[in-house]
Amino acid sequence: MGRSDPLFRLGVDVSGTFTDLLLLDDSTGSTWRHKIPSTPADPSIAVQQGIDEILAKIRVGGENPAERRQSWDDDCHERNSGAEGSSGGFGGDSGVQRYSADATFASSRRWVMRLASWITWKKPEPLVPLELTVEAPGQIATDGTEVTPFDEGSFIERLRKIVMASPDAVTISLINSFANPSHEQQALQAVSKVLPHTPVSISSDVLPELMEYERTITTVANAYITPSVSNYLQKLRDTLEPKTDNLRVLRSDGGLSSVSLASRFPVTMALSGPAGGVAGTATLVAGQTRFKNLIALDMGGTSTDVALIENGVPRIRRETKIGDLVIKTPAVDVRTVGAGGGSLARVPEVTRALRVGPESAGADPGPACYSKGGGTATVTDANAVLGYLPRSLLGGAFKLDLSLAKKAVQNVADDLGIGLYEAAEGILSVSNETMYGALRLVSVEQGAGPLHANALGKLLGAYPVIIQPSPGVLCAHGDATTLLRHEESRTFIRRLGDVSTDDILQASSALWDKAESVMIHEQGVAVEKQVLRYQVDLRYIGQVMTVPVELEIQSLRAEGPTILRDLFEAEHQKSFHFKLSSEVELRNIRVVAEELKPDLKTNQLKRAKATRPNSLSVLLRSTLIFNGQDSRVS
């Protein structure tokens, strides 16, 4: 059954604590939800277990979809934890991941220095050791002309030390390859002869744009995680093969990618985890209500992600920061703070002041109330002590031990010299303030969430606070409803005063054709189901940074290149609160291809006729503690 006749979409969100699943019936809008503990050692185990369990919950026409492969082979979206787990190791043990680049770019480092960094800053290790870096013989000029031919024989001779090191992956990044990739292609052929089974990333494929350092580092990052991600995705595809032919992987910018593209360009999913929650908020809230300008809050077990949605569209940034490393790949502009349900609460000996996070109990052992060996108080334990959580989760399958939660929080109370409930409320207050700082970063300064949403709304002065149905699987819902996406770009440096409309259209025509072709042949999206958009990167002459703007071709044809200055200055004013009289320069042209949005049905919740629940629906009664006062919930 093809994509033109979808039936079911399955979204899977793998986080550090839980693996969430949401199955969506395209024809009716009905959904089934499931949540199970993650298996960090091998995430695919929890994915497979979760799929089997969620399919066991439903029956279609008297038949279980698990028994009919074609009944739900439209989509299976998965937030790739393989990328998340590996990307944090950039610059680690070169005996685990070893790469080569063309010169010394990968051994260079560019870092943002903070106050007193000259005293406290420890210079990180380079991504690629200099001894595993070789220079390619040959030279390309900035305009793409060949200055010196590529010498394959000499290059293969220089590769010997790389071959002897048995690298897991190889990076090829040559000067000015953005203008002419022929030498990189020849280098790729040479590497394939001496390392035929080693994955190779070349910069003219990963990031065909100016800025040699950023291009090289991004390509090295891509090569770094290629082996682990491709192995993980292949294992996942083999596991799911009896159930679906359409496994899709979430990108950092909230779009979807085929397994083949994700395996070749895993750097595009380096921060894909938070993107699912933002996509879910945009679909469920911005797409279904009158509220188009939103601050999305997704609180998980380890951290909390916040993002800004303007006019129903999440803000996208062109750079992604992982630790101290900045790589050029599009990502939803998400700010992450170490304040989640599993964040540990402690009282350091030196300050004797309560601290919450960024350390987390994770999935194993987890919060104390999980009864898995954890003894340190967490945000989840504080919520349990205050009565904000029921005695069991996951439909009764996951029991919470309130006595263990109280014991852990009491340790914090004893260290502070206060009462149990005061300590629990203090833990939540500190956690809320941490999240509040992140909310300001995505708003005025530039999940488990419903338990904290009202308090954060009060701190921020935001109204209303909207809680989606089943917020615990919000990311999985976003995974199931977002769309396939791909982009192509090239460097095109021109002063706006010297460029014509035809120059821009001619320079972008090849990008249009390539993006369209990739969507057809690698993503399985027919031409009539594609939407293609133009973007350009602009800057004032002399600036280092560029500002990306969306470009309507109709406007370009009608008003000419002057429309670009207007668009650029409006965005520059919005982002930096000023504009200049300096000349504007065009730097990059980009075509973004996306799947045409289908008309997905959403079940509307019926408004309750009574203000109090029916007595038959009450499972338990609890005492809530708020501002030091207890109240019986009846």
Side-chain angles (χ1 to χ4, degrees), residues 108-188:
S108 303
R109 281 147 287 183
R110 182 179 298 168
W111 312 104
V112 176
M113 303 296 288
R114 297 179 176 86
L115 184 64
S117 291
W118 64 279
I119 298 175
T120 62
W121 184 63
K122 181 180 179 181
K123 185 167 63 174
E125 291 298 317
L127 290 179
V128 181
L130 191 57
E131 61 270 19
L132 291 179
T133 303
V134 300
E135 186 174 358
Q139 185 178 356
I140 298 290
T142 55
D143 63 356
T145 58
E146 185 178 70
V147 178
T148 306
F150 181 81
D151 187 340
E152 182 181 279
S154 176
F155 183 60
I156 290 179
E157 181 65 26
R158 296 178 184 183
L159 282 175
R160 279 189 180 178
K161 65 178 183 179
I162 304 297
V163 175
M164 293 179 63
S166 301
D168 296 309
V170 174
T171 298
I172 299 174
S173 181
L174 306 183
I175 294 288
N176 298 327
S177 63
F178 70 90
N180 181 352
S182 61
H183 281 194
E184 284 197 350
Q185 294 291 343
Q186 294 176 66
L188 173 62

Side-chain angles (χ1 to χ4, degrees), residues 368-504:
C369 60
Y370 282 11
S371 304
K372 296 171 64 176
T376 304
T378 66
V379 173
T380 296
D381 293 314
N383 277 311
V385 167
L386 295 173
Y388 300 166
L389 287 174
R391 299 294 177 85
S392 63
L393 304 173
L394 309 185
F398 198 92
K399 305 294 184 182
L400 299 183
D401 191 322
L402 182 59
S403 64
L404 291 178
K406 288 184 175 181
K407 181 179 179 181
V409 175
Q410 186 63 56
N411 290 334
V412 174
D414 293 342
D415 288 340
L416 292 171
I418 58 178
L420 172 66
Y421 296 131
E422 187 179 356
E425 289 193 305
I427 292 171
L428 297 191
S429 295
V430 173
S431 177
N432 288 339
E433 288 290 344
T434 302
M435 290 185 280
Y436 170 59
L439 289 171
R440 287 184 58 87
L441 281 176
V442 300
S443 55
V444 296
E445 294 180 11
Q446 145 2 101
L451 286 174
H452 300 253
N454 283 326
L456 291 171
K458 184 177 180 180
L459 285 172
L460 195 63
Y463 179 84
V465 173
I466 301 173
I467 301 173
Q468 304 95 324
S470 303
V473 293
L474 176 62
C475 284
H477 197 291
D479 298 345
T481 55
T482 191
L483 307 170
L484 287 161
R485 184 179 300 162
H486 181 71
E487 65 177 48
E488 295 287 342
S489 65
R490 61 163 293 188
T491 291
F492 184 74
I493 303 175
R494 300 289 190 279
R495 293 173 182 251
L496 284 189
D498 300 333
V499 70
S500 68
T501 298
D502 289 340
D503 292 336
I504 297 174

Side-chain angles (χ1 to χ4, degrees), residues 3 74-75 246-249 251 255-262 483-487 515-526 530 593-595:
R3 294 190 57 82
D74 180 56
D75 289 293
N246 294 292
L247 177 63
R248 305 289 185 237
V249 185
R251 294 162 47 105
L256 293 175
S257 177
S258 65
V259 172
S260 62
L261 282 175
L483 307 170
L484 287 161
R485 184 179 300 162
H486 181 71
E487 65 177 48
E516 192 175 77
S517 176
V518 170
M519 288 292 285
I520 294 172
H521 300 295
E522 296 203 55
Q523 304 272 51
V525 182
Q530 296 181 29
E594 193 170 63
E595 182 182 12

Side-chain angles (χ1 to χ4, degrees), residues 177-477:
S177 63
F178 70 90
N180 181 352
S182 61
H183 281 194
E184 284 197 350
Q185 294 291 343
Q186 294 176 66
L188 173 62
Q189 294 176 9
V191 171
S192 299
K193 291 179 181 180
V194 296
L195 292 168
H197 304 297
T198 302
V200 181
S201 294
I202 64 175
S203 71
S204 52
D205 281 349
V206 175
L207 185 67
E209 298 179 7
L210 186 65
M211 305 297 284
E212 313 301 334
Y213 176 82
E214 287 79 2
R215 179 159 50 84
T216 298
I217 292 303
T218 301
T219 309
V220 170
N222 190 79
Y224 196 104
I225 58 179
T226 292
S228 58
V229 171
S230 58
N231 290 338
Y232 169 67
L233 290 179
Q234 183 60 50
K235 182 176 182 179
L236 192 62
R237 181 160 56 181
D238 292 343
T239 300
L240 300 180
E241 195 278 333
K243 297 181 175 68
T244 181
D245 288 326
N246 294 292
L247 177 63
R248 305 289 185 237
V249 185
L250 191 67
R251 294 162 47 105
S252 300
D253 61 5
L256 293 175
S257 177
S258 65
V259 172
S260 62
L261 282 175
S263 297
R264 294 205 310 276
F265 306 114
V267 74
T268 61
M269 8 181 281
L271 284 180
S272 61
V278 182
T281 301
T283 300
L284 284 172
V285 181
Q288 302 286 332
T289 73
R290 61 185 175 88
F291 301 105
K292 308 301 179 185
N293 297 316
L294 305 163
I295 299 175
L297 170 73
D298 180 22
M299 184 177 180
T302 304
S303 61
T304 295
D305 304 316
V306 297
L308 188 67
I309 297 175
E310 295 181 284
N311 297 319
V313 179
R315 178 176 290 180
I316 303 294
R317 64 177 186 266
R318 300 305 307 178
E319 292 183 342
T320 300
K321 187 173 183 181
I322 304 175
D324 288 322
L325 179 68
V326 177
I327 57 177
K328 289 199 68 175
T329 182
V332 175
D333 189 6
V334 173
R335 306 303 171 96
T336 300
V337 293
S343 294
L344 298 175
R346 64 202 183 285
V347 181
E349 287 287 341
V350 176
T351 63
R352 306 306 299 172
L354 176 62
R355 293 191 60 182
V356 180
E359 297 84 0
S360 173
D364 188 11
C369 60
Y370 282 11
S371 304
K372 296 171 64 176
T376 304
T378 66
V379 173
T380 296
D381 293 314
N383 277 311
V385 167
L386 295 173
Y388 300 166
L389 287 174
R391 299 294 177 85
S392 63
L393 304 173
L394 309 185
F398 198 92
K399 305 294 184 182
L400 299 183
D401 191 322
L402 182 59
S403 64
L404 291 178
K406 288 184 175 181
K407 181 179 179 181
V409 175
Q410 186 63 56
N411 290 334
V412 174
D414 293 342
D415 288 340
L416 292 171
I418 58 178
L420 172 66
Y421 296 131
E422 187 179 356
E425 289 193 305
I427 292 171
L428 297 191
S429 295
V430 173
S431 177
N432 288 339
E433 288 290 344
T434 302
M435 290 185 280
Y436 170 59
L439 289 171
R440 287 184 58 87
L441 281 176
V442 300
S443 55
V444 296
E445 294 180 11
Q446 145 2 101
L451 286 174
H452 300 253
N454 283 326
L456 291 171
K458 184 177 180 180
L459 285 172
L460 195 63
Y463 179 84
V465 173
I466 301 173
I467 301 173
Q468 304 95 324
S470 303
V473 293
L474 176 62
C475 284
H477 197 291

